[in-house]
């Protein structure tokens, strides 16, 4: 691929991004980071493919197709497919008891939950860089598995035909410790965690955690929350990952607004893929797709979109970056768009380095703590795409430029950045930051 002509400083940054992706390349999958995430993650691989298409479209297509190796007979595509590497990851195959539960059709070991369905978006972006015949071949390989995944999302996770799919773990949202999810998750804390915390405080719990060697623990989930997420994994296993059983347990069930927005957009792309290769989306799925576009309107109050508790159907009134993704889905009525643009470019979301994951005036806001405040490059990318879709081109350009600037300021591909001073945090050499930078510079 020809390298675009860039000023020297950006050309050097681009080279850094390319070297990060090469360093994390494990063959036909790319790990998100060399120090924190040694396996394949669903939505990471999609963002990675969107960047890799500028280097090698076939390799980008392989990144997407490799997700199907992990597909379960039910149609679910898991959020992590475990690579055969030394496992230093805290929620690896042992946590999921992969030795006892063989679940994937291809025999790969995986988790039992999914992640935001970015596959169709990534496929279309990669397809844009291919010849017509190569694209058709790629789509034909992908389509059956991708169709089953979208069907599974509705049949399994929207049992009451709400038009909104429910998530069963905050890891499915991709935004692990976002306040919305933590509030609804905390009541499921294991008794031992509550007892230990009462007797010895959080220090005793901190000593037990395995994930915090690379990153200061105060920039990640609290130990109590982390152990609660592990407990939910046990509950899900006990319920055989079957939603009808899960809904009878203590597992939090959330109609997550970001996930559903991404699904709505993915449905459009799946429809386009099907049309291009002469396939017809089954009528049942077409009905669900239509219902989703209408149902997301039930999540808005005073111009703000929220996630909803599946059991009580009450809105979880935490304003976070997840509520901005209906822009990306293209489901925001025109008279509401300017209000949302005003919000996301206001000091509350900081704007200088992109969009903060939690508004600065939220009591939960912490500038360097994971999904509790930092700016994430993938979120900026999605929101900029939505702004462009609504013709707010200046706002989209500003957001993209600020995203490149925040990466350029440190010269490094961090997992996330502080919205206050732009400092990098989390893992360095993080793949989707590198990949989406390549896309922003193309
Ligand atoms: C983070 O999530 C994993 C669990 O899936 C973790 O905390 O260990 C999230 O940022 C998620 O969105 C991301 O896909 C994953 C890998 O980058 O890391």
């Amino acid at each position: 691929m020809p390298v675009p002509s860039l000023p020297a400083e950006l050309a050097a940054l681009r080279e850094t991004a390319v070297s990060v992706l090469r360093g994390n390349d494990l063959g036909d999958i790319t790990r998100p980071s060399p120090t924190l995430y040694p396996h394949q993650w669903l939505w990471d691989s999609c963002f990675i493919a969107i960047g890799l298409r500028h280097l090698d479209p076939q390799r980008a297509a392989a990144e997407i197709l490799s997700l199907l190796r992990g597909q379960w007979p039910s149609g679910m595509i898991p959020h992590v497919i475990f690579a055969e590497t030394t496992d230093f990851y805290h929620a690896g195959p042992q946590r999921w008891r992969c030795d006892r539960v063989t679940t994937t059709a291809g025999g790969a070991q995986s988790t039992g939950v999914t992640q935001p369905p970015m596959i169709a978006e990534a496929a279309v972006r990669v397809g844009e860089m291919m010849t017509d015949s190569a694209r058709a071949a790629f789509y034909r390989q992908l389509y059956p598995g991708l169709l089953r995944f979208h069907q599974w999302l509705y049949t399994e996770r929207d049992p009451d035909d709400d038009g909104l799919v429910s998530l069963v773990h905050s890891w499915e949202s991709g935004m692990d410790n976002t306040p919305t999810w933590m509030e609804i998750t905390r009541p499921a804390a294991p008794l031992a965690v509550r007892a230990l915390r009462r007797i010895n405080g959080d220090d005793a719990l901190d000593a037990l955690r395995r994930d915090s060697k690379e990153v200061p623990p105060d920039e990640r989930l609290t130990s109590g929350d982390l152990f609660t997420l592990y407990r939910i994994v046990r509950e899900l296993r006990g319920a055989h990952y079957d939603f009808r059983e899960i809904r009878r347990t203590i597992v939090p069930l959330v109609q997550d607004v970001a996930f559903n927005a991404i699904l709505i957009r993915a449905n459009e792309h799946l429809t386009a893929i099907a049309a291009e290769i002469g396939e017809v989306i089954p009528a049942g799925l077409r009905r669900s797709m239509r219902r989703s576009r209408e149902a997301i309107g039930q999540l808005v109050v005073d111009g703000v979109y929220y996630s909803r508790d599946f059991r009580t159907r009450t809105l979880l009134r935490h304003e976070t970056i997840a509520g901005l993704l209906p822009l990306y889905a293209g489901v925001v009525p025109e008279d509401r768009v300017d209000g949302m643009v005003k919000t996301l470019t206001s000091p509350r979301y900081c704007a200088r380095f992109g969009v903060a994951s939690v508004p600065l005036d939220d009591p939960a806001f912490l500038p360097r703590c994971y999904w509790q405040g930092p700016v994430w490059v993938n979120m900026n990318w999605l929101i900029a795409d939505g702004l462009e879709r609504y013709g707010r081109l200046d706002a989209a350009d500003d957001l993209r430029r600020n995203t490149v600037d925040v990466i350029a300021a440190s010269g490094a591909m961090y997992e996330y950045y502080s919205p206050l001073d732009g400092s990098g945090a989390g893992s360095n050499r993080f793949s989707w930051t590198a990949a989406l930078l390549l896309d922003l510079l193309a």
Side-chain angles (χ1 to χ4, degrees), residues 9 37 138 164 197 217 225 234 295 321 377 385 405 429:
E9 186 196 288
Y37 310 114
F138 166 47
L164 296 169
R197 188 185 263 152
D225 288 340
R234 284 198 303 278
I321 199 167
V377 171
D385 185 273
D405 286 353
R429 306 189 70 77

Side-chain angles (χ1 to χ4, degrees), residues 32 37 41 43-44 79 89-90 115 171 174 176 370-371 376 430 432:
Y37 310 114
W41 265 257
W43 77 333
D44 294 67
H79 102 292
Y89 180 57
H90 67 105
Q115 237 189 356
W171 285 337
D176 303 17
Y370 216 28
W371 288 94
W376 289 77
F430 188 66
W432 85 39

Side-chain angles (χ1 to χ4, degrees), residues 104-162:
T104 68
Q109 294 195 324
S110 80
T111 64
V113 297
T114 191
Q115 237 189 356
M118 283 293 302
I119 301 175
E121 171 78 87
V124 166
R125 301 279 177 155
V126 171
E128 283 167 6
M129 309 300 272
M130 294 173 138
T131 62
D132 289 357
S133 61
R135 181 172 60 251
F138 166 47
Y139 282 179
R140 275 197 200 97
Q141 244 182 304
L142 181 67
Y143 180 74
L146 187 55
L147 173 70
R148 290 205 303 119
F149 179 41
H150 282 233
Q151 287 176 312
W152 173 83
L153 282 168
Y154 285 107
T155 52
E156 177 73 12
R157 295 301 186 78
D158 181 19
D160 303 342
D161 285 338
D162 284 7

